[in-house]
Amino acid sequence: MGVVVTDAEVTLADVLALRLAIDAPLEDGTELVLRHRTTGVERDVRLGTPGARAREATVAVSLAPLELSAGRWDAYLRREGKRSRLRSVDPGFSLDHLDAYALCRRTLAYRSYRTRNGFLALKISDAEPVAEVRSIWFREGRFEVMGLLAYTGLEDDDSRHEAVLRLDRRQTSARLSATATVQGVRFHAAVSLVDVVGADPDAAESSGTWEPALEVEGVPTPLKLGSRLDDVDGKRRRLHYPSATVDGVPIRPCYTADDELRIEVGG
């Protein structure tokens, strides 16, 4: 049986919606199998016979009842004990859809995508409230960042919320603060690079790593700054920003292995 996914999307209600190109109707008893890539745990859903059309079928699977854990899950079709990977021609990426999906408060975020070998898979991540970085600049002697508040439950409207950008240097517990602007779920913050270099005068050559976080009115916990709502994994290796120099001290933004933003000073 030839089956290819032509369109795949996880809806705002966490339903995996698939459109399939098929050469024959799916037989009764056909199952969609999701297999955790690391642990081998499997979840299966009986698809039945979605219709008599022999060229196209649609499938909708509610993901929350399956109790899927964080990680990557590969998709298979199984019939009479035989299973095969589910091929896909849909790249499964839409930044607008990811932005809309991130507006709701969630504990898990589900995303469908096409693997490098052309198969359907799911990426499931813990979804704590974060400040999703979209742009970074060094200009006019300042570090500037803007982006989207994700998984906070705030409305994407014109309402303004008081906010503060805080930079913490874990090595010495030094802290630097600057006022930030939040309108709806969009944020913008800037901090003087001179203030960053001079914020911890006791540190050797003011070198160290600063961890930014956004404190927003109406959000109970500080929001880490990071970048995860896209299709670029491993930003520490792939994204390299130019550095600025203040009084001979280099400053540059970078990402951790978990795609959280950091400001490296000196070194």
Side-chain angles (χ1 to χ4, degrees), residues 160-174:
R160 291 185 176 270
H161 308 272
E162 293 186 3
V164 174
L165 175 69
R166 300 201 185 279
L167 277 71
D168 289 286
R169 186 171 184 266
R170 181 172 296 179
Q171 296 94 329
T172 62
S173 299

Side-chain angles (χ1 to χ4, degrees), residues 43-265:
R43 299 287 188 269
D44 56 76
V45 179
R46 182 179 291 268
L47 299 182
T49 305
R53 298 179 64 183
R55 295 184 179 274
E56 186 178 85
T58 57
V59 172
V61 177
S62 182
L63 296 174
L66 299 180
E67 299 182 349
L68 304 176
S69 59
R72 296 180 186 265
W73 295 73
D74 294 309
Y76 298 80
L77 282 185
R78 182 168 61 199
R79 169 64 177 154
E80 295 180 347
K82 297 180 180 180
R83 70 180 186 184
S84 59
R85 291 281 296 274
L86 187 52
R87 290 196 169 275
S88 176
V89 296
D90 181 8
F93 177 75
S94 166
L95 189 58
D96 289 341
H97 173 75
L98 292 178
D99 283 357
Y101 185 83
L103 291 179
C104 297
R105 191 187 301 274
R106 303 177 186 276
T107 56
L108 286 177
Y110 303 87
R111 178 184 157 198
S112 63
Y113 71 101
R114 183 182 60 188
T115 69
R116 292 182 180 179
N117 295 327
F119 297 105
L120 178 68
L122 292 178
K123 179 182 178 182
I124 303 177
S125 307
D126 294 323
E128 62 180 7
V130 296
E132 176 74 11
V133 174
R134 286 292 160 80
S135 300
I136 295 174
W137 304 279
F138 280 156
R139 61 184 179 186
E140 299 180 354
R142 299 183 301 176
F143 163 73
E144 294 189 44
V145 58
M146 64 180 298
L148 171 81
L149 304 184
Y151 308 124
T152 62
L154 295 179
E155 296 291 335
D156 187 11
D157 54 22
D158 293 330
S159 61
R160 291 185 176 270
H161 308 272
E162 293 186 3
V164 174
L165 175 69
R166 300 201 185 279
L167 277 71
D168 289 286
R169 186 171 184 266
R170 181 172 296 179
Q171 296 94 329
T172 62
S173 299
R175 169 170 287 189
L176 179 65
S177 300
T179 301
T181 300
V182 174
Q183 181 171 336
V185 294
R186 316 290 166 171
F187 74 88
H188 174 270
V191 61
S192 166
L193 295 178
V194 173
D195 291 345
V196 172
V197 172
D200 198 1
D202 295 332
E205 299 182 355
S206 300
S207 63
T209 301
W210 293 82
E211 302 178 7
L214 200 63
E215 296 183 358
V216 182
E217 174 191 14
V219 180
T221 58
L223 304 176
K224 297 178 181 179
L225 270 66
S227 183
R228 298 188 177 94
L229 299 183
D230 55 30
D231 60 347
V232 181
D233 293 325
K235 293 182 177 64
R236 184 169 184 83
R237 301 187 312 273
R238 300 184 181 185
L239 292 183
H240 300 282
Y241 294 98
S243 62
T245 302
V246 177
D247 296 333
V249 179
I251 308 174
R252 72 179 184 95
C254 65
Y255 286 97
T256 69
D258 295 327
D259 291 339
E260 292 183 3
L261 183 65
R262 296 290 186 269
I263 309 298
E264 291 187 347
V265 179

